[in-house]
Amino acid sequence: VDSTAGVVSEETGLVVEWEEYSDLTSRMRAHVSAAASKDEGEENENTVAPDQLAQYEKSLSILRNSVNNGKRDLVLAEEATTKLANIDSDEADDAPVDARALEEAIEKNTQERQAVRSDADKFKEMYTNAVSRERLIATARELHDDILGWLKISDALSPNGIQNDILSEALTPLNNRLKQSAGDARWGQVSIGSDMQVLSSDGKTQQPYHLLSESGQWRTEAMIAEAISYISGIKMLFLDRFDVLDMQNRSDFIFWLNSLAESGDLETCFVFGTLKAVPSGLPGTIKPYWIENGALERQSSKTKETANV
C-alpha cells in the first residue's frame, strides 16, 4: 500500500495522499490484528459493531482502489521509463545540428532561386524583343517590296519608261523617213529625240530647232510634215511661205516634190509663196497658179512684180 502515492477520490478524481488516512489505517491494522488472535470457534460470534463494519467496508474499498491505482501508476511509470530511455538513446545517436550551416544553405538556395528568376525574366524579355524584331523585319520587308514595286511603276511611267518605248516605236519610222527626205532634198538631216526635241544637222553639227534660221526652220517643218503624211497614208501637204527659201533651196525643194510625186508617196501638195514672177521650167508634176487681187488664174508665162505659186 505504501508504494502508491495515495488514493484517487471517486468524487473529485484527485489523488489523496496517505497521510490524510493515517488514523483510519492505524485503526484498521489494530482490528485486523485483534481479529487474527481470536479463536476459530468464535467465528460466528458478532464481536464487530455494525457501524464499524461499514467503516471497514469503506476502508477495504479504498484499499482496493489504491491497489488498482498503484498498478496503473506502475504501468505508466514503466512506459515512461522506456520512452525516456529511447529518447536518451536517440539523442546519443544523432549528430549535433549546425544551425549556422543550415542558415547558409538556405541563403544560398534563396540566392540561386533569385538568380534563376532573374535569368528567366531576361530570357522572356529577349524572346519578346526577338518576336517584335521579327515582326518589324517582316513589315519592313513588305514595305521594301511595295517600294520596289512602286519604283518599277514610276520608272515605267517616266519619260524613259513606257512612254519612251512608245515614243521610240513611233519615232523610229518617223526619223527613218526624215533621213530619207534629207537625202532626197539634199538638206540637213532632221531628227526627233525621245524628249521631243527637234534637231537639224548639216553633217557636222546638230542644232536645235529654235536656233535654226527661218529658212532652216521652214525646211525642217516641211520634212516633218511630209514624214507624218507618208506614215499616216494621207499623202497630202500644205506648205506656206515658200518664198523664204533662197534660189538653191527652192530648186532643191521642187526636185524633192517631183521625186515624191513620181514615187507615189505624195498625191496632193499645196505650196504658197510670194514671187516676182511665175516660175518657169517646172516639171510636169507641178502646176503653177497665179493669184492676183483675190482672183485665181492659171499662168503659163506671165511676169509680175508679185506672184503666188
Side-chain angles (χ1 to χ4, degrees), residues 118-132:
S118 178
D119 292 341
D121 294 338
K122 292 180 181 178
F123 293 148
K124 184 177 181 180
E125 183 179 359
M126 291 173 61
Y127 173 77
T128 302
N129 294 336
V131 173
S132 300

Side-chain angles (χ1 to χ4, degrees), residues 69-85:
N69 291 336
K71 291 180 179 180
R72 182 198 62 193
D73 293 339
L74 179 60
V75 173
L76 293 175
E78 290 176 352
E79 292 178 355
T81 302
T82 303
K83 291 181 179 180
L84 182 59

Side-chain angles (χ1 to χ4, degrees), residues 2-133:
D2 294 339
S3 62
T4 58
V7 179
V8 177
S9 175
E10 294 181 354
E11 296 178 356
T12 61
L14 299 177
V15 178
V16 181
E17 296 181 358
W18 289 112
E19 293 179 356
E20 296 292 332
Y21 300 102
S22 60
D23 183 57
L24 178 62
T25 55
S26 295
R27 286 184 292 164
M28 180 187 65
R29 287 175 179 174
H31 289 295
V32 170
S33 178
S37 63
K38 289 185 178 291
D39 189 43
E40 292 180 358
E42 299 177 349
E43 287 181 349
N44 297 326
E45 185 179 357
N46 187 9
T47 60
V48 180
D51 56 347
Q52 291 179 345
L53 182 59
Q55 291 181 358
Y56 294 156
E57 291 178 353
K58 182 178 181 180
S59 298
L60 181 60
S61 176
I62 292 173
L63 290 175
R64 288 177 178 175
N65 290 334
S66 65
V67 172
N68 293 332
N69 291 336
K71 291 180 179 180
R72 182 198 62 193
D73 293 339
L74 179 60
V75 173
L76 293 175
E78 290 176 352
E79 292 178 355
T81 302
T82 303
K83 291 181 179 180
L84 182 59
N86 294 334
I87 292 174
D88 294 338
S89 177
D90 293 340
E91 290 180 354
D93 295 337
D94 294 340
V97 178
D98 189 353
R100 183 179 182 85
L102 291 176
E103 292 176 355
E104 292 178 354
I106 293 173
E107 180 66 21
K108 181 179 179 181
N109 292 335
T110 301
Q111 292 178 357
E112 291 179 354
R113 183 185 63 181
Q114 292 176 350
V116 170
R117 286 183 177 178
S118 178
D119 292 341
D121 294 338
K122 292 180 181 178
F123 293 148
K124 184 177 181 180
E125 183 179 359
M126 291 173 61
Y127 173 77
T128 302
N129 294 336
V131 173
S132 300
R133 185 163 53 253

